[in-house]
Amino acid sequence: MNRWISLTSFLIAGFLLLTSLAYALPRTDSPHSGRDNNPPVILVGVAGLRWSDLNTSLENNPKLKEIWNSTLLGKGSLGNNVVRSVRTSACPVDGWLTLSSGARAGDLTPEASGECRPMTPPEGDELLIPQWPRYVSAARMQGFSSKPGAFGNALKTGGIKSLAIGPGASIALSDQLGVVVGDYISLPSNDIELRQEIEKALRAYDLTVIDAGSTPRPKAEPMKDQDASDALEKRTQAHQLAIDSLVSRIAVVLQQVPEEATLIVASVADTTRRPDLQFMAIRCADCQQGLSYSGSVRQSGLVQNADISVTVTTALGLKHPSGFFGSPITSQASSASQQDRLDALVNQEKRAQENRKAVPAFFIFLTVVNVGFFLFVCVVYLWGRKRQVPTNLSSFPWFIPISVLIASLPWAGQVVAYLPWWLSPAPIPTLLIAIILLAGISGMGTLKVSASIEKKTGIQLPELVPGLVSGLLFFTIVIDALRSGTAQLDAPMGVSSLVGGRFYGLNNTAFALLATSGIIFTACVLLLLRRTNLERKRLLQTLLIVLIGGLSVIVDGFPSFGADFGGPPALIPGFIAMGLVANELRVTWLRVLSIGVLTVGGVSALAFADWLRPSLERTHLGRFVDTVFQGEVWAVLMRKAQQNLHNLTHSYLTIVALAGLLVAFLVLRPAFKQVRGSVFSPTLEACVWALLITHLLGYALNDSGILITACGIMFAIPLGLAFASKARTGAGYKTLIE
């Protein structure tokens, strides 16, 4: 094995060894099994209660506001709850099933009318849930490795005395056979009876779970034009009355719960056909006034339904059940006033909703811009070839600036997250204008810096512009990932809190841009290095590839940063192939096999090291290993494969990918053939091979494959055109695009 592969293997193996040792070190133990006289736990669950709804209700009723402030809001940890389960909008039964499973779960598809299937109370003396077989069947079909009844089984094993009040609570407290663990009563019809039942429950039970009801889910019925305004007003009034009734009912419970008890009040489901962030607050002995925080979410003021189940078992002193995907909810102390914290949560809710609306508009904008540009390039190129005249793409004075501007749009889509565009009266136009301005500033700045350097050196450096643009994007993503990916949450090119698939780290879009920009940046630096008179260039360029490639793998795959399971298997072969081609080494079957073994072994070691940590501290890398050990990996892989196929056939980004590949094959491929034997060879060839390998593997290993391909193309092709428009052949008489 040559020195290059030996050095690379040594560095990666050393990194993986240190990572494994770090994760294998003893950590804080998981909660032990047994009650140990912990204070009682009360969980009040509702559906359809947002912070904005609660604020309006309390402002209209000062007496209720005083009760809420003195018992919960002024003493607890506050947050938004992500209730996303198996569908865009979570029905009440989906929320309660998620609590029961400690993972995403839900009923079968709602009825044809769009109405959620109703929950019914348990039957018979044994308190059996009538629909339980349907819930279990749905969990098997949905492919989220959820096991309805896992929460109830943990309570039974731990000897917890529990009481379920209301049908939703009975679902949460059922075991895997659908039998309610503990006792059950219906939700009392008036406040006096409810107060009496709470008093008795606090004396007799370790855990009391209350289904306090929900706001009405509006029916999708058409309204006549003349009646639309009146119907909307009546619907709004009915909705507010339902919220007021719900808030009043919860206040009855709040007044009865003692200070030493752990109290959780959360909205566990949507009651509209759009996803929403829902209300959540917790008060406990260790809770501080501030915003809630969960290790599974890693974002201030944001938790998810699965965290509630873990929080309850932790408060009861139970061992963390296997298969639970949440983490205990803790507090982030804050010196902000209560009103400021409430405003921050409402603002978080607004940002999530505005981002949900803006993401389609933003990607449609990117699609139109890129497809239009790509088609223009192809038409002009073919017209020139047909008439046997120069294509003149490189002679257009605006061609390179436009190419750089389009290539800068992904960077602008990243940094626009730091601007409060969602607070504008017209959020989507404001977002698009801000992105165009940021891309223009970045692109023009890059061109001016490049021109200044070329003027001082007296050498034409076509790799400078792609290098500066790609370097800016690469290090922007790296720095954000090292800061826990705060700019990725509810950003146009980031992750959505309403989807709930990922709250931190690098999503597929960020991975695609990190990989593409990292490879192009490395290639551009290598080209600059080849122009120098430094000795041992081969060693220097090898070290550079290992450095940028290793940084990319760490940032993307390390659980504390990117926590991306599908990224490293694509990055490692891509950068190793880049090193082989750049150093003009033959690609043999032995080397290909070595790369495969190194990739699989490295990624497996990283995931296994994460699995070695206590279950409460694992990311989804370690949870995937746990899924493998439980024999459920096939269901997860099938779900991801189906999602990948659906995205390929139902996404307009497929058009971007096809148009970009047309430009690459028709224009860039013959252009880059001219670099053989020039200063650009073999670095340019190494860059192309690295991009191809990384994106092919990235497409195959992730559930949104076409998104990865399209995002990479939207960045790489414009930069390739800018490079080819400025680069000249060895004779120096014409540009590569001719």
Side-chain angles (χ1 to χ4, degrees):
M1 182 177 291
N2 58 69
R3 289 182 299 171
W4 190 90
I5 291 186
S6 299
L7 178 60
T8 303
S9 303
F10 174 77
L11 291 176
I12 294 179
F15 159 71
L16 294 174
L17 177 61
L18 291 176
T19 302
S20 301
L21 290 175
Y23 281 124
L25 290 175
R27 305 259 180 140
T28 304
D29 292 335
S30 298
H32 58 278
S33 177
R35 181 88 173 86
D36 282 357
N37 297 319
N38 290 321
V41 178
I42 295 87
L43 168 61
V44 182
V46 297
L49 181 61
R50 302 173 302 171
W51 278 103
S52 53
D53 297 328
L54 178 65
N55 287 351
T56 301
S57 181
L58 294 181
E59 288 300 327
N60 294 333
N61 193 322
K63 184 178 179 180
L64 277 181
K65 183 176 182 178
E66 175 59 29
I67 294 174
W68 275 77
N69 286 343
S70 61
T71 57
L72 183 61
L73 302 184
K75 297 183 177 182
S77 178
L78 315 178
N80 275 309
N81 187 30
V82 179
V83 299
R84 175 69 176 262
S85 58
V86 296
R87 283 173 287 275
T88 302
S89 178
C91 290
V93 65
D94 299 341
W96 291 106
L97 280 171
T98 298
L99 295 182
S100 172
S101 307
R104 287 193 181 194
D107 197 358
L108 295 175
T109 304
E111 299 173 355
S113 62
E115 294 300 307
C116 294
R117 297 177 185 271
M119 297 179 292
T120 56
E123 298 177 346
D125 294 336
E126 59 180 6
L127 300 177
L128 180 66
I129 304 295
Q131 300 91 349
W132 197 257
R134 191 176 76 211
Y135 299 156
V136 174
S137 176
R140 292 198 189 106
M141 295 169 55
Q142 289 154 359
F144 287 96
S145 303
S146 57
K147 297 179 180 179
F151 182 54
N153 274 14
L155 298 176
K156 182 194 295 185
T157 303
I160 300 299
K161 296 180 180 179
S162 61
L163 171 66
I165 303 178
S170 68
I171 292 175
L173 295 186
S174 294
D175 62 17
Q176 289 183 312
L177 298 177
V179 177
V180 177
V181 176
D183 296 326
Y184 170 81
I185 61 172
S186 300
L187 182 68
S189 58
N190 59 70
D191 292 350
I192 296 177
E193 292 181 3
L194 178 59
R195 184 178 295 108
Q196 293 172 347
E197 293 296 342
I198 297 300
E199 289 177 353
K200 290 189 289 185
L202 289 170
R203 292 193 299 267
Y205 298 99
D206 304 322
L207 170 65
T208 302
V209 180
I210 306 168
D211 177 3
S214 64
T215 60
R217 189 178 178 94
K219 296 183 178 180
E221 52 187 18
M223 295 183 294
K224 298 180 180 179
D225 293 340
Q226 61 271 22
D227 298 332
S229 179
D230 292 340
L232 180 61
E233 183 178 355
K234 291 179 180 179
R235 182 177 294 178
T236 302
Q237 291 175 352
H239 182 74
Q240 189 59 51
L241 287 174
I243 290 176
D244 292 342
S245 176
L246 203 60
V247 171
S248 177
R249 188 178 306 134
I250 297 172
V252 174
V253 180
L254 297 181
Q255 290 177 296
Q256 305 305 310
V257 179
E259 291 283 342
E260 67 274 10
T262 297
L263 171 64
I264 304 173
V265 183
S267 180
V268 300
D270 300 304
T271 51
T272 61
R273 286 174 173 78
R274 72 173 192 182
D276 277 311
L277 293 180
Q278 301 290 330
F279 164 86
M280 197 290 305
I282 177 173
R283 190 193 76 196
C284 62
D286 298 328
C287 296
Q288 306 177 58
Q289 292 188 34
L291 296 177
S292 300
Y293 182 86
S294 162
S296 71
V297 177
R298 300 186 188 178
Q299 301 290 346
S300 179
L302 201 65
V303 300
Q304 58 178 330
N305 266 346
D307 296 329
I308 297 175
S309 305
V310 180
T311 304
V312 172
T313 56
T314 302
L316 292 170
L318 299 178
K319 186 177 181 180
H320 183 59
S322 176
F324 274 28
F325 280 15
S327 298
I329 301 172
T330 58
S331 301
Q332 285 185 326
S334 173
S335 58
S337 67
Q338 178 180 317
Q339 189 58 50
D340 287 342
R341 285 183 282 137
L342 297 180
D343 291 342
L345 293 171
V346 173
N347 181 58
Q348 190 179 56
E349 176 189 318
K350 178 176 176 59
R351 177 179 180 175
Q353 283 298 336
E354 294 300 337
N355 185 67
R356 180 181 66 88
K357 301 172 189 175
V359 167
F362 172 68
F363 276 97
I364 289 174
F365 166 72
L366 286 181
T367 299
V368 171
V369 169
N370 281 273
V371 171
F373 180 65
F374 294 159
L375 292 180
F376 167 79
V377 171
C378 291
V379 169
V380 172
Y381 185 82
L382 290 175
W383 181 84
R385 293 290 299 272
K386 182 178 181 180
R387 295 178 178 270
Q388 296 182 349
V389 296
T391 306
N392 288 329
L393 280 172
S394 58
S395 65
F396 291 149
W398 48 264
F399 184 73
I400 292 179
I402 290 295
S403 299
V404 175
L405 175 66
I406 293 174
S408 299
L409 289 173
W411 174 82
Q414 295 286 322
V415 298
V416 76
Y418 294 103
L419 302 178
W421 57 268
W422 60 90
L423 299 179
S424 166
I428 294 178
T430 300
L431 171 68
L432 297 180
I433 292 173
I435 287 174
I436 293 172
L437 290 176
L438 288 169
I441 294 171
S442 170
M444 295 307 103
T446 298
L447 290 173
K448 284 190 173 297
V449 170
S450 174
S452 176
I453 294 175
E454 288 182 339
K455 184 177 180 180
K456 289 182 178 180
T457 59
I459 304 174
Q460 190 179 47
L461 302 171
E463 61 269 26
L464 260 185
V465 169
L468 291 172
V469 174
S470 58
L472 181 62
L473 177 59
F474 177 76
F475 287 106
T476 296
I477 297 175
V478 167
I479 292 172
D480 182 62
L482 296 178
R483 296 176 59 249
S484 300
T486 53
Q488 296 291 321
L489 184 67
D490 288 324
M493 299 194 78
V495 296
S496 171
S497 60
L498 298 175
V499 174
R502 175 189 284 271
F503 301 97
Y504 59 88
L506 299 184
N507 67 338
N508 289 333
T509 302
F511 156 71
L513 296 177
L514 175 78
T516 308
S517 61
I519 290 171
I520 295 176
F521 175 70
T522 304
C524 292
V525 177
L526 289 178
L527 286 175
L528 292 173
L529 182 64
R530 289 176 68 90
R531 294 177 183 272
T532 67
N533 295 321
L534 296 174
E535 297 181 357
R536 303 179 68 84
K537 289 183 182 179
R538 177 167 292 192
L539 176 61
L540 290 176
Q541 69 181 16
T542 298
L543 291 175
L544 177 67
I545 293 172
V546 171
L547 178 64
I548 301 298
L551 179 62
S552 302
V553 172
I554 292 172
V555 167
D556 184 67
F558 201 79
S560 299
F561 305 137
D564 181 20
F565 185 75
L571 286 167
I572 294 174
F575 274 98
I576 293 180
M578 187 178 197
L580 291 174
V581 178
N583 284 288
E584 302 180 69
L585 299 173
R586 287 194 311 115
V587 179
T588 64
W589 284 109
L590 178 60
R591 285 172 177 159
V592 171
L593 180 62
S594 300
I595 293 172
V597 171
L598 182 63
T599 301
V600 174
V603 175
S604 299
L606 192 63
F608 184 73
D610 189 37
W611 179 81
L612 290 175
R613 304 197 299 178
S615 56
L616 294 180
E617 299 179 16
R618 294 173 189 161
T619 68
H620 69 282
L621 281 77
R623 290 167 184 158
F624 180 80
V625 175
D626 195 50
T627 300
V628 173
F629 289 158
Q630 293 179 22
E632 298 175 353
V633 64
W634 181 249
V636 175
L637 293 178
M638 286 299 297
R639 174 174 58 82
K640 289 183 175 291
Q642 291 170 358
Q643 182 64 40
N644 202 338
L645 180 61
H646 180 271
N647 290 335
L648 177 64
T649 56
H650 290 76
S651 174
Y652 44 79
L653 290 174
T654 302
I655 303 174
V656 178
L658 293 175
L661 291 174
L662 180 63
V663 174
F665 182 81
L666 192 65
V667 181
L668 292 179
R669 180 171 173 268
F672 287 169
K673 280 185 176 180
Q674 302 178 53
V675 306
R676 291 178 178 174
S678 71
V679 69
F680 305 121
S681 177
T683 304
L684 196 59
E685 184 179 354
C687 177
V688 172
W689 275 109
L691 288 173
L692 282 174
I693 292 172
T694 300
H695 277 278
L696 283 174
L697 291 174
Y699 174 86
L701 295 171
N702 292 277
D703 55 6
S704 55
I706 195 60
L707 173 67
I708 292 174
T709 304
C711 286
I713 282 175
M714 287 189 290
F715 182 73
I717 297 298
L719 285 185
L721 291 170
F723 173 84
S725 298
K726 195 170 184 180
R728 297 185 180 278
T729 59
Y733 296 120
K734 58 182 180 178
T735 59
L736 297 182
I737 298 181
E738 194 69 40

